[in-house]
Amino acid sequence: MINPEILSLDDKTINIRFPEKPSGDIRYRLKSNGFSWSPEHTSWFATSTPRTQSVAKSLFAKLPLDKIIEGDCIELMRQMPAESVDLVVTDPPYLVNYKDRFGRSILNDNDDHWVSPAFSQLYRLLKPNSFCVSFCGWTSIDIFLRASKQAGFRTVGQLIWQKDYASSSFYISVHHEQAIVLAKGTPAKPGNPLKSVLPWSYTGNKLHPTQKHVDVISPLIDTFSSHGETVLDPFCGSGTTAVAAHELERHYIGIEKDPEFAETARQRLSG
């Protein structure tokens, strides 16, 4: 990546110069977030706002490898360098306003305002020819598919986990979980492709209302990434994706907005 030079970054203006012409992705991010090109000063400039400051800082950011970060994943992903992640495996809110038998709920599970900007950032962060695997509920799969397509992903598969128990029952008794497999570019075919229907392992949801088992997540990481690569989970909950990545000798980045679950994830990875 080209190392830019900050000429000014204060409460009023931001001015950034590059030693050579930046990539198309960087130019697009600057222009779409309020920056303008100044031929006179051979630099990009913008009025200082939280958004433009975040974009500017991302140009200098290093990946927070092997960390669980607390905060809004969209804003935090904006601060990460483009094309720096090898795989995304994530379990975002299903948009169903879920509450478990203990009354526990999940942040941002009541509307879809975050779905499109989140997938846009995931696409930007992923390296070319890589995968994103995202769990989603069947009632909102159209929202996730639309957002992923708008971001630039291709849908290349669907995974189903068959459950012995019903997660809900109304017109039908729901005995499965599902995830969509998305591709950025044209990734190589895995050496041992996963079956589209897989066995389910139950956690008891002791650490999180919708906690996934490591045995469910590990095959995804093992299939779609290699040793030493970086796996991102922007909705990491109690940290299962990070735990699985660590056990499989990958780097992990976990982002979680709920402070309690973020701390649970850190504790799981501190041992």
Side-chain angles (χ1 to χ4, degrees):
M1 179 179 174
I2 300 170
N3 292 321
E5 174 189 1
I6 287 188
L7 301 179
S8 66
L9 200 169
D10 52 38
D11 294 338
K12 295 182 179 180
T13 61
I14 300 175
N15 204 336
I16 304 171
R17 177 184 292 158
F18 292 83
E20 57 184 275
K21 187 176 181 180
S23 69
D25 174 77
I26 291 177
R27 294 198 303 275
Y28 173 79
R29 291 181 60 213
L30 290 169
K31 291 175 68 175
S32 63
N33 285 287
F35 284 81
S36 299
W37 168 249
S38 170
E40 179 183 358
H41 299 98
T42 62
S43 64
W44 292 85
F45 69 94
T47 301
S48 185
T49 66
R51 172 65 63 83
T52 56
Q53 287 184 13
S54 177
V55 170
K57 291 176 182 177
S58 75
L59 300 175
F60 302 85
K62 294 182 179 180
L63 278 181
L65 293 179
D66 304 322
K67 295 184 184 299
I68 303 296
I69 314 167
E70 181 185 322
D72 183 283
C73 71
I74 296 170
E75 292 305 318
L76 289 169
M77 286 192 289
R78 285 191 177 116
Q79 298 174 27
M80 297 180 188
E83 298 185 357
S84 55
V85 170
D86 298 287
L87 171 66
V88 171
V89 175
T90 192
D91 183 22
Y94 284 8
L95 312 179
V96 294
N97 205 21
Y98 178 75
K99 286 190 177 182
D100 70 3
R101 62 185 183 276
F102 303 110
R104 295 180 299 176
S105 59
I106 301 168
L107 294 176
N108 289 325
D109 193 31
N110 55 349
D111 66 65
D112 63 359
H113 72 278
W114 50 268
V115 180
S116 287
F119 275 91
S120 177
Q121 288 302 313
L122 291 176
Y123 188 87
R124 183 184 70 82
L125 291 179
L126 276 167
K127 295 177 181 178
N129 304 320
S130 57
F131 292 98
C132 169
V133 183
S134 176
F135 286 82
C136 58
W138 66 269
T139 57
S140 58
I141 192 170
D142 58 325
I143 296 172
F144 284 87
L145 289 173
R146 183 167 59 249
S148 63
K149 184 176 181 179
Q150 289 173 348
F153 286 109
R154 292 186 302 117
T155 306
V156 295
Q158 181 183 33
L159 297 170
I160 301 292
W161 287 265
Q162 185 175 348
K163 300 161 73 171
D164 293 332
Y165 58 93
S167 54
S168 66
S169 184
F170 191 62
Y171 291 119
I172 61 172
S173 183
V174 179
H175 281 255
H176 78 282
E177 292 283 342
Q178 66 181 12
I180 50 177
V181 182
L182 308 170
K184 177 179 179 177
T186 309
K189 178 183 175 182
N192 186 22
L194 288 170
K195 294 180 179 179
S196 60
V197 180
L198 297 163
W200 181 253
S201 296
Y202 182 49
T203 64
N205 297 329
K206 296 176 182 178
L207 302 178
H208 188 275
T210 61
Q211 181 186 348
K212 301 298 185 288
H213 201 287
V214 171
D215 290 349
V216 170
I217 302 298
S218 290
L220 308 178
I221 295 173
D222 192 40
T223 299
F224 297 119
S225 69
S226 301
H227 286 194
E229 293 188 335
T230 299
V231 182
L232 169 66
D233 184 354
F235 303 93
C236 80
S238 59
T240 299
T241 295
V243 171
H246 178 69
E247 291 180 353
L248 290 168
E249 299 181 348
R250 274 72 162 170
H251 294 292
Y252 63 85
I253 303 170
I255 305 174
E256 174 53 44
K257 193 170 187 178
D258 189 303
E260 180 181 349
F261 296 139
E263 180 57 28
T264 297
R266 293 190 193 101
Q267 291 298 322
R268 291 179 73 184
L269 288 150
S270 64

